[in-house]
Structures are given as C-alpha cells and as structure tokens.
Amino acid sequence: MNLYSSNARWKWFVLAASVFISIGSIYYTNILVNQLKEQEKQQIQLYAKTLEFTVNQNDASSENINFITQEILFQNNSIPIIITDEREKVIDYRNLKLKDQWPAVQKERYLINEIEVMKGTYEPIRISLKDNGEEFAVQYVYYKNSFLLAQLIAYPYIQLSVIAIFAFISYLAFNYSKEAEQNRLWVGLAKETAHQLGTPLSSLMAWVEVMREDPDLKNRNIAEELEKDIRKLTIVTERFSSIGSVPVLKQENVVTLINNVVNYLRPRLSSKVRIDVYTLSDNINAYVHAPLFEWVLENLCKNAVDAMSSSGNIAIKILRGSEGKVLIDISDTGKGIPRSKIAMVFNPGFTTKKRGWGLGLTLAKRIIEIYHKGKIFVKSSEENQGTTFRIILNASLGYSQPDNKA
Ligand SMILES: Nc1ncnc2c1ncn2[C@@H]1O[C@H](COP(=O)(O)OP(=O)(O)O)[C@@H](O)[C@H]1O
Ligand SMILES: [Mg+2]
C-alpha cells in the first residue's frame, strides 16, 4: 500500500518546508537587526561627538552651531543612554524607563543596574573635556539597543514558538480525533460481528443436541465433528466480543497457553514447517486475556508460515525479563521484511499478500499494547534469513483492573 509511503513523504516535505521558512525568517530579521544596530550605533556616535563638541566650545558666539548641536542632541528619543564621569557617577540619562516620582535610592539602584547591562552590550564612548586643548576630565556615554531593536531581535523566535505550539496542539487534536474514530470503528465492527454470529451459533448448538437424541442417526461421528467446529466458532465469537469490550486480565501460565496454540496449529501446518517452543521454565506467569492473546499468537504464526512459502522453522522463546516483564520472541526462517517496510507492518491495510487484509498485525498491536499494556515490535529482520517479533507482557499489574478482579 503506497498510501503510507506517500503519507510519510508528505510529513518530511512539511517538516523540511517549515525548517526552511523558520531559518529564512530568522535570517531575514537578522539582516534587519544588523542594519538597525549599525544605524543606532552611528546615531550614538554622532550624539557623543556632538556632546563633546558642544562642551568644548569656547566661543559661544556661533548661534547656528549651537542650534544644530541641540537638534542632534534631542533627536535621539529611542536609544537609552547614560552619561557618567570617569568614576561612573551619573551625570545625565535619556530614554530610560525611570520615573521621576521614584525615591532616590531606587533611581540610583536602577541606574547602576542599567550601566551594567549597557556595559555588557556595547563598549561606552569616551568623551574628553578639554580646556585650551588640554584634557581636564573624561565622561562616558553608555548605551544599549533601543526597545524597538530589542523587540525585533526577539520577534522571530516568539513568532516561531507561537506557530510551533499552535501546530503541535492542532496535530495532537487531529490525531486524537482520528484515533477516537478508528477506535469506535474497531469496537463497533467487532461487537456487531460477535452479535451476529451469536444467534446462528446457539441455534446450531441446539440442532446438534437434537441430532444426538435422534435414534435413527447412523453416523455418530457427524455430531462429534459438528460440535468441534461449533466450539471453534464459539472461540472466534468470543474473541470478537472481547475486543469490543474492555477485557479483564488474569494471571495465566503463558507457557501452557503458547503450547496449546502450538499444539492446535501443528497438525494444521504443512509437514515441512517445524514449530518449537523453548523455555527455561514450564511455569512463567503473566497477566493476559487468554482468548485475545491466543489470537495474537495465531496471527504471528500464520504470518511466519506465509513468509516461509511453507517450509522452514518457527521458534517461540519465552523468557522472564527484568522488572516483572515476560518476553516472547517468535522467530521464523522466512523471507524477512525489507528495512524500509519495518515501520509500516503494523499499519492497518499494509499487506504484501495477494489475498491479505493487512489487519493481522494491527489487531495484534491493539491487543498487546492497549488491552495488555505490553509491547509488540519487530525485534530483527534480515531479508531471506528470517524475522523475529517480540512481545513484552507484564508479570504483575502496575495499574488497576477494570472492575471484578479475578
Ligand atoms: N514474519 C514475517 N515475515 C515477513 N513479513 C512479514 C511477517 N509478518 C508480517 N509481515 C509483513 O507484514 C504484512 C502485514 O501483516 P498482517 O498485518 O498480518 O497482514 P496480512 O497477513 O493480511 O498481510 C504482511 O503482508 C507481510 O508483508
Ligand atoms: Mg497476517
């Protein structure tokens, strides 16, 4: 099914496009920031020069020059600056968020703090005060980025985070509603199937009883065989009805359960397929719902047989894992799964078989991960060598059971 591969390609495309747009927008704002920074720096330098010039002007006659310098000095109304003497005593400041009604102590603390911030941003500009060409004092102009510039620097990051958070939330909401819809479909279909099978099954059972009591029935075997098939059908119905409700887990010996499934399957497989169970102990307990767990095993074994074109070995290993886990490895010597397909085998509808439905592994995953709170995954797979699926079950319950605990 290329539905999944094109879906995956789309995801990569969207991801690549968003990374590209993010980098692009950060890059572009960076250019703007640098231009504005350069402009502000020049403005401050001009300001400092003007200041120096005005202070050092001896001849106060030139009205015009005074006018121009005043214009430049008051033109700066966005860049925060502090002017100090050589011992960092504040002489003047401009464009700071300092309120006139603040108490002197607070003002002083604020200014000291601001000077530290400004020192960390730009080197202060030195102004030398001269008398007859001889320096008699020094002043410093400290400055930092204007509020506009500071905002512009932070802007793309804020914008991108807001977009990312929004995208993430919508993705979750979308996935959640998709999953809820799928769940309803599964559950509804399973319940409906079980329900529909139930009526003819109970009537079949009654017919078998009628048959048994018929003294004219010549072949007694027919009733026996019919009953066996009815029993199998009952199990199938039970599976469908349990997947449609919340199954209650019981502590069971998984070695026995697995041997039962294997003994059921063995006579039904081709004689060229070997199936063996390996375990160090005959008694390994885990919390399972037996009918559903058997269904999973049957599905995995059938897939293994399909992968081997009806000759090869299936090995089931049961191990006690650490931290109350039970590990079950199902290995085959079949054709393996190509590396690029491993991530897809659990997707509904994924199949490589002519007559496949691609639901076996989806069902297995649902049963193990949702109903058993366990894990199922492809542990390893080599092309033309074989595949190993691993199931992890819980030997103890780390969560509370839904009602009537067995
Ligand atoms: N043991 C295995 N070895 C190789 N491929 C496997 C094995 N188990 C599953 N697959 C691959 O995963 C696909 C999906 O399996 P499944 O969900 O059971 O659906 P179906 O059996 O109907 O195809 C199979 O078509 C096959 O390509
Ligand atoms: Mg299958």
Side-chain angles (χ1 to χ4, degrees):
M1 299 282 285
N2 52 13
L3 175 72
Y4 287 101
S5 53
S6 72
N7 202 344
R9 223 173 293 145
W10 252 108
K11 271 186 202 158
W12 280 115
F13 177 75
V14 169
L15 190 71
S18 26
V19 169
F20 182 75
I21 291 171
S22 316
I23 292 177
S25 96
I26 291 176
Y27 180 74
Y28 181 67
T29 354
N30 244 351
I31 294 178
L32 290 185
V33 164
N34 282 338
Q35 282 174 357
L36 195 58
K37 245 186 205 169
E38 193 49 40
Q39 220 172 317
E40 289 193 354
K41 213 172 181 170
Q42 276 170 10
Q43 204 180 335
I44 287 297
Q45 262 152 10
L46 178 64
Y47 179 87
K49 278 217 181 84
T50 315
L51 205 65
E52 199 173 36
F53 179 76
T54 324
V55 176
N56 290 335
Q57 216 183 16
N58 293 328
D59 132 50
S61 61
S62 170
E63 279 284 314
N64 282 342
I65 288 181
N66 251 339
F67 173 74
I68 292 170
T69 52
Q70 285 301 317
E71 278 296 291
I72 292 171
L73 283 177
F74 289 107
Q75 186 207 33
N76 169 30
N77 53 16
S78 65
I79 307 164
I81 57 171
I82 298 177
I83 303 166
T84 70
D85 66 11
E86 68 258 58
R87 271 167 289 122
E88 276 186 24
K89 199 172 153 309
V90 177
I91 299 169
D92 195 7
Y93 53 82
R94 203 158 284 208
N95 304 324
L96 287 178
K97 284 189 208 124
L98 188 144
K99 300 251 159 54
D100 278 337
Q101 67 267 30
W102 283 3
V105 200
Q106 192 183 356
K107 276 188 190 169
E108 197 179 340
R109 212 181 305 136
Y110 180 87
L111 287 170
I112 289 172
N113 195 27
E114 276 299 304
I115 289 176
E116 282 311 309
V117 173
M118 289 173 175
K119 264 190 202 164
T121 322
Y122 296 109
E123 191 72 4
I125 297 172
R126 187 178 189 275
I127 299 177
S128 97
L129 304 186
K130 294 191 183 104
D131 192 17
N132 283 329
E134 216 170 290
E135 181 175 290
F136 67 91
V138 173
Q139 288 185 355
Y140 288 100
V141 178
Y142 291 92
Y143 66 108
K144 65 174 188 180
N145 295 333
S146 68
F147 184 57
L148 180 72
L149 185 56
Q151 267 183 317
L152 192 60
I153 292 171
Y155 181 70
Y157 298 100
I158 294 172
Q159 186 192 32
L160 290 174
S161 339
V162 169
I163 292 176
I165 291 169
F166 176 74
F168 184 66
I169 290 174
S170 5
Y171 176 78
L172 284 187
F174 175 74
N175 253 17
Y176 177 77
S177 69
K178 202 170 103 183
E179 210 179 285
E181 195 177 305
Q182 278 182 356
N183 275 348
R184 274 202 301 278
L185 197 72
W186 270 110
V187 168
L189 210 62
K191 267 191 180 150
E192 180 63 20
T193 309
H195 184 74
Q196 296 223 359
L197 278 173
T199 324
L201 256 183
S202 44
S203 111
L204 267 177
M205 273 183 236
W207 280 116
V208 171
E209 279 315 302
V210 172
M211 244 175 154
R212 260 189 223 287
E213 273 149 34
D214 182 0
D216 296 338
L217 186 71
K218 286 187 201 101
N219 194 346
R220 292 270 134 207
N221 257 349
I222 293 180
E224 290 293 314
E225 289 303 314
L226 259 178
E227 205 167 3
K228 263 191 212 161
D229 284 334
I230 291 173
R231 225 175 289 138
K232 178 71 191 171
L233 270 176
T234 314
I235 293 175
V236 172
T237 314
E238 199 185 327
R239 287 173 177 175
F240 274 102
S241 109
S242 2
I243 206 161
S245 56
V246 182
V248 176
L249 306 183
K250 271 197 227 166
Q251 199 169 38
E252 306 258 11
N253 182 355
V254 287
V255 180
T256 316
L257 282 183
I258 290 173
N259 274 319
N260 287 346
V261 172
V262 168
N263 291 336
Y264 169 80
L265 286 175
R266 209 176 261 136
R268 286 166 178 79
L269 301 177
S270 131
S271 57
K272 282 184 248 155
V273 172
R274 260 188 77 117
I275 174 162
D276 297 299
V277 178
Y278 300 92
T279 174
L280 295 174
S281 154
D282 283 335
N283 192 8
I284 298 179
N285 288 326
Y287 272 92
V288 293
H289 182 269
L292 289 181
F293 178 64
E294 285 169 2
W295 197 1
V296 171
L297 278 176
E298 267 183 43
N299 270 330
L300 292 180
C301 290
K302 278 183 193 155
N303 279 346
V305 172
D306 290 343
M308 297 193 295
S309 52
S310 61
S311 109
N313 298 330
I314 301 175
I316 304 179
K317 294 189 190 116
I318 313 163
L319 286 171
R320 259 198 205 99
S322 56
E323 290 167 18
K325 302 285 177 197
V326 172
L327 314 179
I328 299 155
D329 284 354
I330 296 107
S331 310
D332 62 56
T333 54
K335 63 177 162 57
I337 308 169
R339 195 165 287 274
S340 60
K341 297 280 179 339
I342 288 183
M344 297 178 206
V345 293
F346 292 102
N347 288 340
F350 177 83
T351 183
T352 53
K353 298 169 195 168
K354 263 205 192 108
R355 286 168 189 279
W357 286 102
L359 285 180
L361 287 179
T362 314
L363 198 67
K365 195 173 182 73
R366 186 182 173 82
I367 292 173
I368 297 297
E369 300 199 340
I370 298 184
Y371 295 158
H372 288 83
K373 304 276 185 280
K375 284 212 164 69
I376 179 169
F377 53 90
V378 178
K379 189 183 161 224
S380 63
S381 189
E382 281 288 324
E383 274 189 79
N384 299 320
Q385 302 285 315
T387 305
T388 299
F389 277 86
R390 172 166 282 185
I391 298 174
I392 303 179
L393 295 173
N394 298 305
S396 59
L397 282 177
Y399 62 98
S400 61
Q401 278 274 46
D403 50 63
N404 58 331
K405 203 170 172 176

